[in-house]
Amino acid sequence: MKVRAIPQLSAAATLALVLGVAAVLSSQAPQSPSLTVLSKDGRRALPLSIVADQEFVALDDLATPFQIAVREDALGAVTVSYKGKTIVLTPDQALASVSGRLVSLPAPPSRSGRRWLVPVEFISRALALIYDARLDLRKASGLLVVGDVRVPRITVRYDPLGNAARLTIDATPRAGSTVTQDGDHLTIKFDADALDAPNPPLPAQAPQGIVQAVRLADGTTMAVDLGPRFGGFRTSTQPVDTTQRLVIDLLAQMQTEPTPPPAQPAQPPPPPAPEPPPLFGQPASAIHTIAIDAGHGGDDEGVKSGDGAKEKDLTLAAPRRTKAVIEARLGLRVLLTRDDDRNVPLDERTAIANNNKADLFISLHANGSMRPTTSGASIFCAAFDKDAAQAAAAGGAERLPTFGGGSRDIELVPWDLAQTRHLDRSERFADLLEQQFHDRVPLSSRVIDRAPLRVLESANMPAVLIELGYLTNAEQAKLLASDAFQVTAVQAIYEAIVRFRDAYMAGGTP
């Protein structure tokens, strides 16, 4: 049996040793893949290896910073120990036994000389179960967050709006920020220990003259480099589920034609005020917030196509496109029930819409069938049995005291019957969707239908569920995955929302 004893070092000594070794290695060899470890002790690099196109980490490299012991027995099994808890790995098996509990790994351990390599997911799937501090592996960002460290994910979107522009910056989980102007750039300082953001945070855009670039200034600060047409800015913030959204509206300077000097001295007229974006001049809308439910997510992959396309990926891409179009063109608030690959319980999806007082709820999905020839989009409204509908219609009230004295009747509606009061408008919106889908999106033989869908039953606003098509139909699966189809479907949804909104503004019944 081979035993490797791991010395116990203080956190400061451990960090200094790891950083020192990393500095020496980086000065002697080309840069190789690494994982950035963020903790209260600071930032350090954890080297990675590529094995069969997957990222692996050496157990020896995890031993010192995480104070684990690694032992190999005569049969080749590897035991990882931490404070009396163990993980057992077996060669050629993509499994780990964590204190007797089996967890899957994307690949089995791999030997490199005398060192054992494990998939980087070993950290989040196995080590995190026995470690006494939170381990948050963000593989896509190349980050490992250890302990109680505030590292929000930052996403940035830039939308030109005529003679203006808008930057929308989301921080998840919520993190406050302060925006200041310093000469020819804006500085955005986040209340965080570090930022999980691509560098640069915003891909290169076509020159607009208002914003030149968005970049990371330091670990917790972003900078917006302003162009020659920049005239001013205004900011607003709002919480969206677990995200803090910062919106920066950037106004352009008004350009005036040069005039020849007057024959007689004259006082030049004052320059016109900067023109606000079209959004600010639009009439007030009775629809302020739209909730879009991105179906499935995380372990719930939904329907799969024959070539491996997953419903959860399609239903995340389409809502993101819809959200961007609605916010840019209509200026309405749009909530997504999920904006990443995670599982959100059905009741929580509806609660997000209800708690944020959404005026419209749209759940997006892709369909599946045992018959591979079945195809076409369909639109569903909630269905209730007669007894439930009659109970909701009868309603109920409870008399409660008011703050100023006296009492008032509060009408009570059961959570799972909230949709019964909005069925007429839900069906009207479904009709508008069908009209806009016609001749644009392939439709099923029965376009609009009713079903007892839990995600719709509790929605306290007009609500529909859209099945965009069948992933089990090979031809339609390719269509659903195409940018052209998604752009067309999003445009149809957008135009249906506009017609629904206009019916509200006209004072009619949508």
Side-chain angles (χ1 to χ4, degrees):
M1 180 180 295
K2 302 175 184 177
V3 179
R4 301 191 187 109
I6 306 303
Q8 299 293 318
L9 299 175
S10 68
T14 298
L15 179 60
L17 176 62
V18 173
L19 291 178
V21 172
V24 172
L25 293 177
S26 64
S27 64
Q28 295 177 349
Q31 198 167 19
S32 57
S34 64
L35 189 68
T36 300
V37 182
L38 299 174
S39 68
K40 289 294 186 183
D41 297 329
R43 177 190 297 255
R44 58 184 178 268
L46 192 65
L48 300 178
S49 301
I50 303 298
V51 179
D53 296 327
Q54 292 205 43
E55 293 179 338
F56 279 65
V57 60
L59 288 176
D60 285 348
D61 291 332
L62 293 175
T64 298
F66 294 99
Q67 299 182 343
I68 60 175
V70 181
R71 185 179 73 248
E72 180 184 348
D73 63 23
L75 299 177
V78 179
T79 300
V80 178
S81 303
Y82 176 78
K83 295 185 177 181
K85 300 177 182 179
T86 60
I87 303 171
V88 179
L89 299 164
T90 304
D92 302 325
Q93 289 191 11
L95 293 171
S97 175
V98 184
S99 298
R101 171 188 171 189
L102 288 179
V103 298
S104 64
L105 299 174
S110 175
R111 183 188 285 276
S112 176
R114 300 184 60 186
R115 289 157 54 92
W116 279 102
L117 308 179
V118 291
V120 70
E121 290 85 357
F122 167 86
I123 298 172
S124 58
R125 299 187 187 182
L127 183 57
L129 299 180
I130 66 171
Y131 202 65
D132 57 6
R134 183 176 66 95
L135 299 180
D136 181 8
L137 176 65
R138 304 181 186 179
K139 185 178 177 183
S141 306
L143 294 178
L144 174 60
V145 181
V146 181
D148 187 19
V149 184
R150 297 170 301 167
V151 187
R153 293 181 178 88
I154 304 297
T155 58
V156 182
R157 187 176 72 249
Y158 176 80
D159 297 309
L161 299 171
N163 198 34
R166 170 174 289 181
L167 277 173
T168 303
I169 303 172
D170 287 344
T172 309
R174 296 177 188 174
S177 58
T178 305
V179 183
T180 57
Q181 182 175 356
D182 182 12
D184 59 355
H185 65 266
L186 301 179
T187 298
I188 308 167
K189 179 71 175 178
F190 288 88
D191 182 16
D193 297 307
L195 300 180
D196 178 358
N199 193 11
L202 188 69
Q205 300 284 324
Q208 298 290 333
I210 300 176
V211 172
Q212 303 282 41
V214 180
R215 55 185 171 83
L216 291 178
D218 59 41
T220 59
T221 307
M222 290 171 49
V224 180
D225 295 329
L226 304 171
R229 293 184 56 232
F230 172 76
F233 76 98
R234 67 186 81 184
T235 65
S236 63
T237 59
Q238 64 179 5
V240 180
D241 194 13
T242 59
T243 296
Q244 186 72 19
R245 172 162 296 170
L246 169 67
V247 177
I248 306 176
D249 289 305
L250 304 140
L251 307 180
Q253 293 179 347
M254 293 295 294
Q255 303 295 321
T256 58
E257 292 293 331
T259 56
Q264 300 294 329
Q267 188 71 23
E275 179 185 345
L279 165 64
F280 301 129
Q282 290 180 350
S285 171
I287 294 181
H288 304 286
T289 302
I290 296 175
I292 301 179
D293 173 38
H296 305 276
D299 295 335
D300 180 10
E301 296 180 341
V303 182
K304 287 185 181 179
S305 70
D307 59 3
K310 300 174 183 177
E311 181 182 1
K312 70 171 185 177
D313 297 328
L314 171 67
T315 58
L316 183 57
R320 282 175 171 170
R321 289 177 184 263
T322 308
K323 172 185 171 73
V325 169
I326 295 171
E327 288 185 337
R329 299 184 188 177
L330 301 180
L332 302 179
R333 180 187 181 204
V334 180
L335 308 172
L336 295 184
T337 57
R338 67 179 180 95
D339 198 15
D340 53 20
D341 186 16
R342 60 190 175 96
N343 193 322
V344 181
L346 286 177
D347 288 342
E348 185 177 333
R349 294 172 185 268
T350 311
I352 290 171
N354 289 344
N355 294 339
N356 285 276
K357 295 180 170 55
D359 303 295
L360 189 60
F361 181 85
I362 304 171
S363 185
L364 293 178
H365 292 259
N367 221 330
S369 172
M370 297 296 293
R371 299 175 59 186
T373 57
T374 305
S375 66
S378 52
I379 305 159
F380 288 89
C381 298
F384 298 89
D385 59 44
K386 291 183 179 180
D387 292 340
Q390 289 173 357
E398 182 174 343
R399 183 167 292 272
L400 298 176
T402 62
F403 181 77
S407 61
R408 63 177 297 187
D409 290 334
I410 302 297
E411 198 166 7
L412 303 177
V413 179
W415 172 267
D416 57 349
L417 298 178
Q419 178 60 198
T420 56
R421 303 190 170 197
H422 304 279
L423 282 175
D424 288 344
R425 287 186 296 161
S426 297
E427 292 177 355
R428 177 56 182 148
F429 182 57
D431 289 337
L432 293 172
L433 284 167
E434 180 184 12
Q435 293 172 20
Q436 298 306 316
F437 279 7
H438 190 69
D439 293 333
R440 293 183 178 181
V441 175
L443 298 175
S444 64
S445 57
R446 185 170 182 176
V447 182
I448 299 178
D449 204 349
R450 280 189 170 196
L453 299 170
R454 185 174 171 185
V455 75
L456 299 182
E457 290 173 349
S458 304
N460 195 22
M461 72 285 299
V464 298
L465 185 146
I466 303 174
E467 298 280 6
L468 291 169
Y470 282 78
L471 280 176
T472 48
N473 181 308
E475 182 178 348
Q476 193 157 72
K478 294 180 181 179
L479 178 67
L480 293 178
S482 68
D483 287 339
F485 172 84
Q486 292 187 24
V487 169
T488 300
V490 167
Q491 179 66 22
I493 294 171
Y494 161 78
E495 292 180 10
I497 291 172
V498 170
R499 292 175 180 270
F500 193 70
R501 179 205 63 179
D502 291 346
Y504 268 115
M505 294 175 62
T509 301

